[in-house]
Amino acid sequence: MNTTTRRLASIVMVMFLALLVSTTWIQFFRADDLNSDPRNARALYEQFGTDRGPIVVGGEAIASSVAVDDEWNYQREYAQGRLYAPLTGYYSLVSGTSGIERAENDFLAGTADALWVDRLQNLLTGSDAQGSSVELTIDAEAQQAAWDALGDQRGAVVALEPSTGRILALVAKPTFDPNDLATHDTGAANDAYVDLLNDPDDPLISNATNDIYPPGSTFKLITTAAALESGDYTPDSVIPAPSTYTLTGTSTQVGNFGGTSCASSGEMTLADALRISCNTAYLELAGELGADAMNEQAEKFGFGSSYTVPFQTSASQYDPDVDAMSTDKVELSGIGQGSVLATPLQVAMTSAAIANGGELMEPFSVDRVRSPELEVVQETRPSSLGDAISEDTARQLTDMMVSVVEDGSGTEAAISGVTVAGKTGTAQHGDNSAPPHVWFTGFAPADDPQVAVAVVVEEGGALGSSATGGRVAAPIAKAVMEAVLNG
C-alpha cells in the first residue's frame, strides 16, 4: 500500500469513526431531547398516533383514545371532563399535557421501561403500540357528591382514606373541560387554551392541590396539637378567653366571630375553646407556645412540603421566615391567619393524620397500572410520612373534634348514626373587604375512620359575608363522607 492509499484509508476510517460517534450520540444521548422537541413532527405523529391507554375510575374510563379519520388516527376524549379535570389534566396537540396525562405519560403512551416486553412483541409481530391503563383511587360516588354539593360556588373538596393516603375525591371549581383542548382542530384548541390562560379565575390551576388559602380556624387543630404535645396542656386545661385580644406590640384588637364573648368568666377549657372556635383563646395560646413549636408542629403535619400524587402539589406554609416572626404574627398564626397558607389537600391531610392515630400518610391518586393485557405492572403501596402527633394526642384531639360536631360550630356535618369529628374555619383574606373563605375539615366514623375530608368555599359562596364554615362548608363535607360510608 503506497502512501497515498494509506492516507486515503486513514481519512475514510476517521470519517467512519466520526459518523459512528455522531450517530451513537444522537440516538442514545440526545434521543429524549429530540423526541420531546415540539418541532419534531415525526415524534409528534408517533406520539399522537398511538392508541393511548385509558385513565380509569371505578372500572370506567374517564379518559380514553378513540379512533378518528384524520392524520393523527386517535383523539383523546374525556367522559365528565370538568368533573375529573383536576386529576386527568389534558392531552393536547396545542398545549401539551398536564395532570395525570403528563405524570403517567410513559405508561399511557406505552413507552415506560416496565413495558419493554410489550414493545418487543409489537416489534416482532408488527402490531401497533398500545398504552397501559392507569387506575385511580377515586371513589366515583364521593367525587360526584363533592361536585354536586359544591354546586356553583368556587372552592375545592379533597377526601382521603386516613389509613393509606388514597385520594377518594378531588374536586376543584372553577375548572375546565379538557375536551376543548384535545380537539384536533388546532385553531379551536388554541382559542380555548388562550381563553383559559386569560381567565382571571385560573381554571387550569387546581385550587384543591395548587392554590393556597388562609386556613382560618381549621389551623386551630395544629395549635391544639402543639399545645397537647408540649405536655403543658390537656383538653381540660383552663386558658384565658377574653372578649377581645390586643395583639402583642400593637394596638390591634381581635375579637371573636360576630363580636361574641367566649366565656363570661374570661377563661375556658382548651376543649371548649376548640368546640366553639374561640379566637381570643387561641391568639394567646399560640403566643405562649411560640413560633418554633408552632412551626415544628405544622411541618410534622406536612406544611412546607409538596407531594407527588403523581402530579406535583403546592407546599403549604406556616411562615416564610419563622426566625423573624414577631409575637403578634405568631399569635395570629394560632387562628390560621397572618402568613399561614394551606392547600385543601394539606388541610385534609391534617384531619387524616389525627384520624390515623397521629400517623401521616403520603397522599396518592394512582392505584395501579395495567398493561394492555391487563397485567398489573405497577401498584402504589401506602407510604408513611411519620408521626405528626402521638396516639394519645390524636385520641384527645378526636374527642375534641367530636364535640365540635355534636355541640359546637360544626353541627351541620353530623350524620345520623355515625360519630363525626370535625372543625370549622372562617378565614379573612386580602384587605378583609371581601367575604371570608369558609372551611370544614373532619373525618368519620370517629371511632373507625374511613374518610377524612377538607372543604373550602371561596368568599362565603352563596351566602357571601354571612357565611360560616359551619353553615356552608360543613354540609358539603357531610355529603362526601356519606357517599364514602354508603358506597
Side-chain angles (χ1 to χ4, degrees):
M1 183 180 294
N2 58 35
T3 302
T4 302
T5 302
R6 284 199 302 273
R7 287 176 178 173
L8 179 60
S10 298
I11 292 172
V12 170
M13 287 181 63
V14 169
M15 293 178 66
F16 182 77
L17 183 61
L19 179 63
L20 183 65
V21 170
S22 64
T23 302
T24 302
W25 175 261
I26 291 172
Q27 290 189 342
F28 287 91
F29 295 102
R30 294 205 58 208
D32 290 342
D33 290 340
L34 293 172
N35 285 333
S36 60
D37 191 328
R39 296 167 298 178
N40 187 346
R42 181 177 176 180
L44 202 61
Y45 274 101
E46 182 178 348
Q47 178 183 354
F48 281 86
T50 299
D51 185 5
R52 191 174 176 83
I55 300 173
V56 178
V57 168
E60 300 291 334
I62 60 170
S64 57
S65 290
V66 297
V68 292
D69 187 20
D70 64 15
E71 69 269 39
W72 304 104
N73 297 327
Y74 295 97
Q75 180 172 320
R76 206 62 166 159
E77 284 191 355
Y78 299 87
Q80 304 182 78
R82 297 171 66 82
L83 174 62
Y84 289 105
L87 290 151
T88 63
Y90 54 79
Y91 184 75
S92 169
L93 278 166
V94 172
S95 45
T97 58
S98 70
I100 286 172
E101 292 280 24
R102 175 183 294 176
E104 297 294 327
N105 180 66
D106 287 351
F107 280 114
L108 292 167
T111 59
D113 291 343
L115 302 173
W116 69 270
V117 173
D118 292 87
R119 292 204 303 277
L120 180 61
Q121 288 177 343
N122 292 335
L123 183 65
L124 295 175
T125 62
S127 303
D128 292 334
Q130 190 175 358
S132 297
S133 58
V134 174
E135 299 177 0
L136 305 189
T137 58
I138 297 299
D139 179 322
E141 294 184 0
Q143 182 80 0
Q144 189 66 56
W147 176 270
D148 293 342
L150 194 55
D152 295 331
Q153 302 170 111
R154 294 200 313 271
V157 181
V158 179
L160 302 172
E161 186 175 67
S163 62
T164 63
R166 290 161 54 93
I167 297 175
L168 302 176
L170 194 147
V171 164
K173 293 185 178 181
T175 186
F176 64 98
D177 188 345
N179 290 298
D180 295 339
L181 303 176
T183 176
H184 289 179
D185 181 339
T186 55
N190 188 66
D191 289 345
Y193 188 55
V194 170
D195 287 345
L196 290 168
L197 290 177
N198 292 332
D199 190 324
D201 288 331
D202 292 329
L204 290 175
I205 299 175
S206 167
N207 53 17
T209 54
N210 294 91
D211 208 352
I212 48 178
Y213 301 85
S217 293
T218 61
F219 196 79
K220 289 172 182 169
L221 295 174
I222 293 177
T223 307
T224 305
L228 296 174
E229 288 284 286
S230 72
D232 296 330
Y233 297 86
T234 71
D236 296 326
S237 295
V238 177
I239 59 176
S243 298
T244 60
Y245 184 83
T246 303
L247 297 175
T248 299
T250 77
S251 58
T252 303
Q253 286 194 327
V254 180
N256 297 298
F257 180 77
T260 58
S261 175
C262 295
S264 58
S265 64
E267 58 184 18
M268 62 197 317
T269 66
L270 179 59
D272 279 341
L274 186 75
R275 179 177 59 81
I276 66 170
S277 200
C278 181
N279 285 341
T280 54
Y282 275 89
L283 290 166
E284 183 160 341
L285 178 60
E288 291 292 325
L289 292 167
D292 289 342
M294 292 288 290
N295 182 57
E296 181 181 352
Q297 189 61 73
E299 288 185 344
K300 286 184 176 179
F301 275 110
F303 279 70
S305 299
S306 60
Y307 300 96
T308 304
V309 297
F311 47 86
Q312 203 70 21
T313 72
S314 296
S316 302
Q317 71 169 37
Y318 174 68
D319 189 278
D321 190 359
V322 175
D323 293 337
M325 284 183 79
S326 56
T327 303
D328 61 309
K329 288 186 68 177
V330 178
E331 292 166 342
L332 278 174
S333 75
I335 59 172
Q337 297 281 184
S339 55
V340 182
L341 297 169
T343 64
L345 173 65
Q346 173 60 68
V347 176
M349 289 172 65
T350 301
S351 280
I354 297 169
N356 195 39
E359 186 179 14
L360 182 68
M361 303 301 293
E362 186 171 12
F364 63 97
S365 65
V366 173
D367 213 348
R368 61 182 66 86
V369 177
R370 293 185 187 273
S371 71
E373 293 75 31
L374 300 182
E375 294 179 356
V376 176
V377 294
Q378 180 172 290
E379 188 164 15
T380 305
R381 295 181 178 179
S383 176
S384 173
L385 295 171
D387 292 331
I389 50 178
S390 67
E391 288 189 24
D392 190 45
T393 296
R395 179 186 56 76
Q396 292 175 321
L397 264 172
T398 297
D399 291 342
M400 295 166 76
M401 292 172 71
V402 168
S403 296
V404 170
V405 176
E406 290 184 343
D407 188 31
S409 58
T411 55
E412 293 296 323
I415 300 173
S416 179
V418 177
T419 305
V420 178
K423 181 70 191 82
T424 56
T426 303
Q428 302 296 328
H429 59 98
D431 61 3
N432 296 338
S433 61
H437 299 325
V438 291
W439 288 86
F440 183 88
T441 185
F443 55 89
D447 56 352
D448 182 22
Q450 304 299 309
V451 55
V453 65
V455 176
V456 62
V457 179
E458 295 182 9
E459 299 189 348
L463 295 185
S465 298
S466 61
T468 65
R471 293 181 64 190
V472 175
I476 299 171
K478 174 185 176 182
V480 176
M481 290 188 287
E482 284 185 316
V484 173
L485 298 178
N486 296 332

mmCIF file of all heavy atoms in Angstrom, residues 381-401:
data_model
loop_
_atom_site.group_PDB
_atom_site.id
_atom_site.type_symbol
_atom_site.label_atom_id
_atom_site.label_comp_id
_atom_site.label_asym_id
_atom_site.label_seq_id
_atom_site.Cartn_x
_atom_site.Cartn_y
_atom_site.Cartn_z
ATOM 1 N N ARG A 381 -48.056 1.398 46.822
ATOM 2 C CA ARG A 381 -48.187 0.929 48.200
ATOM 3 C C ARG A 381 -48.230 2.137 49.125
ATOM 4 O O ARG A 381 -47.443 3.072 48.959
ATOM 5 C CB ARG A 381 -47.009 0.024 48.563
ATOM 6 C CG ARG A 381 -46.981 -1.273 47.764
ATOM 7 C CD ARG A 381 -45.810 -2.140 48.197
ATOM 8 N NE ARG A 381 -45.803 -3.412 47.476
ATOM 9 C CZ ARG A 381 -44.876 -4.350 47.639
ATOM 10 N NH1 ARG A 381 -43.880 -4.146 48.504
ATOM 11 N NH2 ARG A 381 -44.938 -5.468 46.956
ATOM 12 N N PRO A 382 -49.118 2.132 50.115
ATOM 13 C CA PRO A 382 -49.183 3.261 51.053
ATOM 14 C C PRO A 382 -47.832 3.506 51.701
ATOM 15 O O PRO A 382 -47.090 2.559 52.007
ATOM 16 C CB PRO A 382 -50.227 2.799 52.073
ATOM 17 C CG PRO A 382 -51.073 1.823 51.323
ATOM 18 C CD PRO A 382 -50.139 1.113 50.394
ATOM 19 N N SER A 383 -47.525 4.776 51.916
ATOM 20 C CA SER A 383 -46.235 5.155 52.481
ATOM 21 C C SER A 383 -46.438 6.139 53.629
ATOM 22 O O SER A 383 -47.160 7.130 53.481
ATOM 23 C CB SER A 383 -45.363 5.796 51.389
ATOM 24 O OG SER A 383 -44.149 6.265 51.926
ATOM 25 N N SER A 384 -45.792 5.855 54.752
ATOM 26 C CA SER A 384 -45.915 6.726 55.924
ATOM 27 C C SER A 384 -44.933 7.880 55.825
ATOM 28 O O SER A 384 -43.775 7.704 55.436
ATOM 29 C CB SER A 384 -45.656 5.923 57.195
ATOM 30 O OG SER A 384 -45.616 6.791 58.330
ATOM 31 N N LEU A 385 -45.409 9.072 56.209
ATOM 32 C CA LEU A 385 -44.540 10.246 56.284
ATOM 33 C C LEU A 385 -44.091 10.505 57.715
ATOM 34 O O LEU A 385 -43.444 11.509 57.992
ATOM 35 C CB LEU A 385 -45.273 11.470 55.725
ATOM 36 C CG LEU A 385 -45.610 11.414 54.230
ATOM 37 C CD1 LEU A 385 -46.520 12.572 53.836
ATOM 38 C CD2 LEU A 385 -44.334 11.433 53.398
ATOM 39 N N GLY A 386 -44.474 9.618 58.637
ATOM 40 C CA GLY A 386 -44.059 9.757 60.029
ATOM 41 C C GLY A 386 -45.219 10.125 60.938
ATOM 42 O O GLY A 386 -46.353 10.312 60.495
ATOM 43 N N ASP A 387 -44.908 10.226 62.207
ATOM 44 C CA ASP A 387 -45.928 10.567 63.202
ATOM 45 C C ASP A 387 -45.986 12.082 63.389
ATOM 46 O O ASP A 387 -45.008 12.702 63.825
ATOM 47 C CB ASP A 387 -45.616 9.894 64.539
ATOM 48 C CG ASP A 387 -45.780 8.381 64.458
ATOM 49 O OD1 ASP A 387 -46.606 7.927 63.645
ATOM 50 O OD2 ASP A 387 -45.077 7.670 65.197
ATOM 51 N N ALA A 388 -47.139 12.650 63.079
ATOM 52 C CA ALA A 388 -47.333 14.088 63.294
ATOM 53 C C ALA A 388 -47.549 14.373 64.772
ATOM 54 O O ALA A 388 -47.124 15.413 65.290
ATOM 55 C CB ALA A 388 -48.525 14.587 62.476
ATOM 56 N N ILE A 389 -48.223 13.464 65.447
ATOM 57 C CA ILE A 389 -48.523 13.581 66.876
ATOM 58 C C ILE A 389 -48.559 12.175 67.461
ATOM 59 O O ILE A 389 -48.592 11.186 66.724
ATOM 60 C CB ILE A 389 -49.886 14.279 67.125
ATOM 61 C CG1 ILE A 389 -50.982 13.627 66.271
ATOM 62 C CG2 ILE A 389 -49.798 15.771 66.855
ATOM 63 C CD1 ILE A 389 -52.360 14.206 66.481
ATOM 64 N N SER A 390 -48.579 12.108 68.785
ATOM 65 C CA SER A 390 -48.646 10.800 69.438
ATOM 66 C C SER A 390 -50.071 10.245 69.346
ATOM 67 O O SER A 390 -51.039 10.980 69.069
ATOM 68 C CB SER A 390 -48.261 10.943 70.912
ATOM 69 O OG SER A 390 -49.256 11.700 71.597
ATOM 70 N N GLU A 391 -50.190 8.951 69.587
ATOM 71 C CA GLU A 391 -51.522 8.337 69.579
ATOM 72 C C GLU A 391 -52.412 8.951 70.652
ATOM 73 O O GLU A 391 -53.622 9.134 70.448
ATOM 74 C CB GLU A 391 -51.399 6.825 69.795
ATOM 75 C CG GLU A 391 -50.840 6.072 68.608
ATOM 76 C CD GLU A 391 -50.939 4.570 68.809
ATOM 77 O OE1 GLU A 391 -51.799 4.131 69.598
ATOM 78 O OE2 GLU A 391 -50.151 3.835 68.193
ATOM 79 N N ASP A 392 -51.823 9.291 71.794
ATOM 80 C CA ASP A 392 -52.617 9.874 72.877
ATOM 81 C C ASP A 392 -53.137 11.255 72.485
ATOM 82 O O ASP A 392 -54.308 11.586 72.726
ATOM 83 C CB ASP A 392 -51.761 9.969 74.146
ATOM 84 C CG ASP A 392 -52.602 10.326 75.360
ATOM 85 O OD1 ASP A 392 -53.690 9.737 75.528
ATOM 86 O OD2 ASP A 392 -52.185 11.210 76.140
ATOM 87 N N THR A 393 -52.280 12.051 71.864
ATOM 88 C CA THR A 393 -52.733 13.367 71.393
ATOM 89 C C THR A 393 -53.813 13.214 70.322
ATOM 90 O O THR A 393 -54.796 13.963 70.301
ATOM 91 C CB THR A 393 -51.543 14.166 70.835
ATOM 92 O OG1 THR A 393 -50.615 14.417 71.891
ATOM 93 C CG2 THR A 393 -51.989 15.491 70.252
ATOM 94 N N ALA A 394 -53.640 12.244 69.422
ATOM 95 C CA ALA A 394 -54.646 12.006 68.380
ATOM 96 C C ALA A 394 -55.988 11.634 68.995
ATOM 97 O O ALA A 394 -57.050 12.094 68.539
ATOM 98 C CB ALA A 394 -54.168 10.906 67.442
ATOM 99 N N ARG A 395 -55.943 10.809 70.034
ATOM 100 C CA ARG A 395 -57.186 10.412 70.694
ATOM 101 C C ARG A 395 -57.861 11.619 71.358
ATOM 102 O O ARG A 395 -59.077 11.809 71.247
ATOM 103 C CB ARG A 395 -56.892 9.331 71.739
ATOM 104 C CG ARG A 395 -58.115 8.852 72.514
ATOM 105 C CD ARG A 395 -57.709 7.883 73.619
ATOM 106 N NE ARG A 395 -56.729 8.476 74.523
ATOM 107 C CZ ARG A 395 -57.017 9.367 75.465
ATOM 108 N NH1 ARG A 395 -58.266 9.786 75.614
ATOM 109 N NH2 ARG A 395 -56.068 9.848 76.247
ATOM 110 N N GLN A 396 -57.072 12.451 72.017
ATOM 111 C CA GLN A 396 -57.632 13.637 72.667
ATOM 112 C C GLN A 396 -58.214 14.610 71.638
ATOM 113 O O GLN A 396 -59.300 15.163 71.830
ATOM 114 C CB GLN A 396 -56.547 14.321 73.504
ATOM 115 C CG GLN A 396 -56.108 13.509 74.719
ATOM 116 C CD GLN A 396 -54.944 14.164 75.448
ATOM 117 O OE1 GLN A 396 -54.038 14.717 74.837
ATOM 118 N NE2 GLN A 396 -54.958 14.079 76.771
ATOM 119 N N LEU A 397 -57.472 14.814 70.557
ATOM 120 C CA LEU A 397 -57.964 15.714 69.507
ATOM 121 C C LEU A 397 -59.247 15.185 68.875
ATOM 122 O O LEU A 397 -60.164 15.950 68.553
ATOM 123 C CB LEU A 397 -56.884 15.894 68.437
ATOM 124 C CG LEU A 397 -55.990 17.135 68.552
ATOM 125 C CD1 LEU A 397 -54.856 17.060 67.541
ATOM 126 C CD2 LEU A 397 -56.800 18.406 68.338
ATOM 127 N N THR A 398 -59.296 13.868 68.681
ATOM 128 C CA THR A 398 -60.502 13.278 68.103
ATOM 129 C C THR A 398 -61.714 13.551 68.995
ATOM 130 O O THR A 398 -62.780 13.968 68.502
ATOM 131 C CB THR A 398 -60.323 11.762 67.918
ATOM 132 O OG1 THR A 398 -59.258 11.530 66.990
ATOM 133 C CG2 THR A 398 -61.594 11.113 67.395
ATOM 134 N N ASP A 399 -61.557 13.340 70.295
ATOM 135 C CA ASP A 399 -62.670 13.607 71.214
ATOM 136 C C ASP A 399 -63.089 15.074 71.153
ATOM 137 O O ASP A 399 -64.289 15.398 71.184
ATOM 138 C CB ASP A 399 -62.264 13.244 72.644
ATOM 139 C CG ASP A 399 -62.099 11.734 72.839
ATOM 140 O OD1 ASP A 399 -62.619 10.976 72.004
ATOM 141 O OD2 ASP A 399 -61.440 11.332 73.816
ATOM 142 N N MET A 400 -62.114 15.953 71.064
ATOM 143 C CA MET A 400 -62.419 17.388 70.994
ATOM 144 C C MET A 400 -63.142 17.729 69.693
ATOM 145 O O MET A 400 -64.071 18.536 69.670
ATOM 146 C CB MET A 400 -61.123 18.198 71.125
ATOM 147 C CG MET A 400 -60.441 18.033 72.495
ATOM 148 S SD MET A 400 -58.734 18.637 72.541
ATOM 149 C CE MET A 400 -59.024 20.402 72.612
ATOM 150 N N MET A 401 -62.722 17.092 68.605
ATOM 151 C CA MET A 401 -63.362 17.353 67.302
ATOM 152 C C MET A 401 -64.778 16.772 67.253
ATOM 153 O O MET A 401 -65.654 17.319 66.574
ATOM 154 C CB MET A 401 -62.506 16.772 66.175
ATOM 155 C CG MET A 401 -61.167 17.491 65.976
ATOM 156 S SD MET A 401 -60.062 16.648 64.795
ATOM 157 C CE MET A 401 -60.914 16.963 63.248
#
